[in-house]
Amino acid sequence: PFADPSAGYLSTPMPPPATEGSVTLTPNKIDEIVLQPKNQIAGILQASIPLIVMPAYYGIAAARRGVDAARNGIEHAKNEYFFAVSQVYFGAVATDRLIEIVERQLEAARKHEDVAKKRFEVGDLPKIGFLRASVDRARSEQDLQRAKNAHDATKLALKTLVGIDEPFEVVAPEIAVNADDEATRIARAKSTRRDLEASRAVVEAARNGLNAV
């Protein structure tokens, strides 16, 4: 007998009656082969993503228009604040101008009263004429006081809106004349007014929200 290390078998020559030169192979070792493990782990991962979801699309569009409406609403509130400040400012300018006019009227009423008094003293004017001139002078004084009160009130409102603590005087601005026609100004107002843009955004957001249902 002889061993074949490379093949892992023990070779033994056959006896003489057999075919000459034949050998018998006898296993030298046994190897265990695992055909299937006892415990196996298997899993399947599946995910589905819709390509187009129309309700979500309209919902996102409505949300965006809602953001635009809120942004335009903020800008409109700012414009309303500026408009209120401008309104009070021009009111203060107008009352300042009114004070100047009433002061001239009061000066004229006082002169007229002095003339009426002298004419009454010399007998050239009846007493009713002198009393009428005195009443006109008193009315002018009341008008002047009302104009001053209105001017102080508008300055106080302007001070509150702007937040000015120091004393200030109102100066009339130089107003530039707009050469555009009325139709051009109206068209520009429709395209730039934030309140109209906010209203349009609200309507569009509501329409998209209705389509999302």
Side-chain angles (χ1 to χ4, degrees):
F2 62 91
D4 189 354
S6 61
Y9 294 94
L10 181 62
S11 298
T12 303
M14 295 296 294
T19 304
E20 186 177 356
S22 63
V23 295
T24 300
L25 300 179
T26 302
N28 190 25
K29 63 178 180 177
I30 298 175
D31 294 332
E32 293 183 359
I33 300 176
V34 180
L35 299 179
Q36 182 176 357
K38 183 177 181 180
N39 298 323
Q40 297 187 33
I41 299 176
I44 298 176
L45 179 62
Q46 183 178 1
S48 60
I49 300 176
L51 297 179
I52 298 176
V53 182
M54 297 309 297
Y57 172 79
Y58 286 112
I60 293 173
R64 289 178 178 174
R65 297 303 294 170
V67 172
D68 294 338
R71 185 180 295 111
N72 290 326
I74 294 174
E75 293 296 329
H76 174 62
K78 292 180 180 178
N79 293 336
E80 287 293 318
Y81 167 74
F82 294 145
F83 178 73
V85 173
S86 301
Q87 220 174 9
V88 176
Y89 165 74
F90 284 106
V93 172
T95 54
D96 194 12
R97 179 62 177 166
L98 180 62
I99 289 175
E100 296 178 359
I101 296 174
V102 175
E103 283 178 346
R104 288 198 293 269
Q105 291 178 350
L106 178 59
E107 183 180 359
R110 286 174 177 173
K111 290 180 179 179
H112 179 67
E113 183 183 16
D114 292 339
V115 172
K117 181 179 180 181
K118 292 178 180 179
R119 291 180 61 189
F120 171 70
E121 290 176 350
V122 298
D124 190 27
L125 183 69
K127 187 175 182 180
I128 187 66
F130 170 65
L131 294 177
R132 187 179 294 111
S134 299
V135 171
D136 292 339
R137 185 263 309 160
R139 287 178 178 175
S140 297
E141 290 177 349
Q142 292 178 357
D143 292 340
L144 179 60
Q145 188 60 43
R146 282 194 292 267
K148 289 182 178 180
N149 293 337
H151 183 67
D152 293 339
T154 52
K155 285 185 65 176
L156 180 60
L158 184 61
K159 180 179 179 181
T160 303
L161 287 173
V162 180
I164 299 176
D165 295 332
E166 297 79 9
F168 65 94
E169 294 297 330
V170 179
V171 180
E174 295 181 2
I175 302 177
V177 179
N178 194 344
D180 296 336
D181 55 357
E182 183 178 359
T184 303
R185 292 195 296 270
I186 292 175
R188 183 167 57 250
K190 288 182 178 180
S191 61
T192 57
R193 282 182 55 179
R194 294 294 185 178
D195 55 339
L196 297 180
E197 292 182 5
S199 299
R200 285 193 288 266
V202 170
V203 172
E204 189 67 23
R207 188 173 299 157
N208 290 328
L210 181 63
N211 294 330
V213 176

